[in-house]
Amino acid sequence: MRILIAAAGSRGDVAPYTGLGAELQRAGYDVTLAATDAFAPLVREAGLTFRSLPADTRESGAATTKRELMRAAAAFTTRLGEGFADAVEAGTDLLLLSATTAPLGWHLTEATGTPSLGVYLQPTQPTGDFPPVVTGARSLGRRANRATGRFTLHMADRLYDQAVTQLRRRLDLPPVSPSAMRRRVEQANWPILHGFSTALVPRPSDWRPGLDIVGNWWPHHNATEQLPPVLEDFLDAGSRPVLIGFGSMASGDGKRLSDIAARALRRAGLRGILQAGSALLAADGDDVLTIGDVPHALLFPRLAGVVHHGGAGTAAAALRAGVPAVVVPVTADQPFWARRLADLGAATEPIPFRSLTAERLAEALARVVKQQAYSRAAAKAAQHLAAEDGAGQALKTIQRLTD
């Protein structure tokens, strides 16, 4: 049976599906992961077939305001839709659609009859329990949370107007707006699996049937993979360091962030590892090491703390390792995850990206490393995550659908 997973966005929006795909492939499915070209090596290293989606996330990664993000997202979805149909070959038996690709995939399901299932990394469905994840706001009250959630989905659908119009024309389907298509899908109780932990987001009681939270899908890495020798040497050379990195965020801010990181580490008296990422962080010194991408699963358990941007995958990886965090959210859903970690007690109060200073970072690092309450909360959450089996639960659902 041939399964195609369609995912688009930054590394954090794609990497979890390599672990999910590998689990499905071990169970005997033929799995293809469609993503943008930058992630072809990531997909192939997991043993999955790669298929290209025609878009580039670099402009979105550079956006730091909501207006910039919306403009970049609209351009991204239009490019994504231009070749989306090409990614789904004849013979595909099941489509697994991320939150970004679902508004396009629904139309392919209508045109071809291919069954589909949502595999989301964020809780996008409106609920009274919390406001929309992309607003970064505190709760507005149950009624206002739901209303704002519906409005946010409506605004998101507008980003797909041009892409959906072109895709339906190509598929020889009658015109329909993205919002109308979403209503059809919701009324049919289209099933969605959410790949995050109930430790961070318990399932809202007002969600419709068909929406399930199954636990994280962890990025694939080879069992034989090891950390680079220079990193191993640094880890062994002294006390546990903290990691500072912003993933695919903060492009163009590398010099400012590197300077802040180096001064904060000195001020807090801590050893540090800077992960270059899109910001190109870099610093020199006996107590500071700069690295590229390494598997979170191998590095995080050996740290005293993590400073990160609040991406869903990085937030979950730190919790999985039982490591407390200082979160510096940049945009999109990152303030939501930052707030969740803080409410859990596994992170300090978030520091907004534009408000970050060496003094604030040093003070937060000192607290998160030296006050044991943060480590205890992270360790408790790690036990919760260890009891979940996101990929295994997804596999069971897919087996039920395809029997």
Side-chain angles (χ1 to χ4, degrees):
M1 183 171 185
R2 298 173 62 187
I3 294 177
L4 184 133
I5 306 172
S10 67
R11 184 185 180 93
D13 298 313
V14 176
Y17 299 110
T18 63
L20 175 60
E23 177 76 7
L24 297 176
Q25 196 142 277
R26 282 191 293 270
Y29 294 98
D30 181 358
V31 182
T32 296
L33 177 48
T36 51
D37 288 340
F39 304 111
L42 198 69
V43 173
R44 292 181 176 129
E45 285 166 10
L48 308 176
T49 301
F50 173 77
R51 196 158 298 149
S52 177
L53 290 178
D56 189 334
T57 61
R58 282 176 292 190
E59 185 180 350
S60 298
T64 57
T65 68
K66 284 187 171 63
R67 178 173 293 182
E68 289 173 352
L69 188 68
M70 292 291 283
R71 186 164 52 243
F76 175 75
T77 55
T78 299
R79 289 193 297 270
L80 186 63
E82 288 170 356
F84 192 83
D86 294 332
V88 185
E89 290 184 343
T92 297
D93 299 299
L94 179 66
L95 283 172
L96 301 185
L97 301 169
S98 72
T100 306
T101 60
L104 299 170
W106 295 331
H107 306 277
L108 282 169
T109 292
E110 179 185 342
T112 65
T114 304
S116 62
L117 174 71
V119 284
Y120 288 11
L121 302 177
Q122 294 87 13
T124 62
Q125 192 74 9
T127 174
D129 288 4
F130 47 80
V133 297
V134 294
T135 66
R138 293 180 182 270
S139 178
L140 306 170
R142 296 192 64 81
R143 182 178 296 180
N145 284 345
R146 280 193 292 268
T148 308
R150 290 191 293 270
F151 176 75
T152 299
L153 285 181
H154 174 70
M155 294 302 293
D157 287 336
R158 290 179 59 183
L159 301 177
Y160 288 85
D161 275 340
Q162 184 174 345
V164 165
T165 298
Q166 293 175 352
L167 181 59
R168 290 187 70 86
R169 187 181 299 128
R170 176 175 173 181
L171 296 171
D172 200 25
L173 294 172
V176 68
S177 72
S179 291
M181 191 66 183
R182 184 182 295 278
R183 286 193 294 273
R184 288 185 197 174
V185 167
E186 291 298 320
Q187 289 165 3
N189 284 338
W190 185 64
I192 303 174
L193 303 179
H194 294 85
F196 48 79
S197 175
T198 54
L200 282 172
V201 185
R203 186 187 187 279
S205 59
D206 57 356
W207 270 7
R208 65 165 173 81
L211 303 175
D212 295 308
I213 299 174
V214 298
N216 287 90
W217 302 311
W218 302 110
H220 172 82
H221 71 87
N222 294 321
T224 58
E225 191 170 4
Q226 297 180 335
L227 296 176
V230 65
L231 179 53
E232 283 284 0
D233 291 344
F234 183 81
L235 290 167
D236 292 339
S239 59
R240 287 192 173 208
V242 298
L243 175 76
I244 300 176
F246 292 87
S248 59
M249 294 290 107
S251 177
D253 273 300
K255 188 177 185 305
R256 178 178 80 93
L257 293 173
S258 298
D259 179 62
I260 287 173
R263 289 193 291 124
L265 289 168
R266 286 195 301 270
R267 191 180 183 101
L270 297 170
R271 303 172 71 231
I273 299 169
L274 303 191
Q275 190 160 32
S278 294
L280 302 179
L281 299 184
D284 297 319
D286 293 339
D287 290 333
V288 182
L289 177 70
T290 302
I291 62 170
D293 288 330
V294 298
H296 290 163
L298 297 182
L299 177 59
F300 280 18
R302 301 176 66 180
L303 300 172
V306 181
V307 179
H308 62 81
H309 60 296
T314 310
L319 275 189
R320 183 191 194 189
V323 178
V326 176
V327 190
V328 185
V330 181
T331 189
D333 62 332
Q334 295 155 20
F336 174 83
W337 297 111
R339 170 50 45 196
R340 289 277 152 167
L341 287 173
D343 288 348
L344 203 60
T348 60
E349 282 294 305
I351 304 174
F353 179 71
R354 290 301 175 193
S355 301
L356 183 66
T357 64
E359 293 73 24
R360 290 189 71 177
L361 182 56
E363 191 272 335
L365 277 172
R367 277 194 291 122
V368 85
V369 171
K370 295 172 184 176
Q371 294 182 14
Q372 292 303 305
Y374 294 105
S375 296
R376 286 195 294 269
K380 183 178 179 181
Q383 291 179 335
H384 186 117
L385 268 66
E388 296 174 325
D389 180 12
Q393 290 300 315
L395 172 60
K396 289 178 182 178
T397 298
I398 290 166
Q399 288 172 330
R400 287 196 299 269
L401 285 174
T402 56
D403 279 347

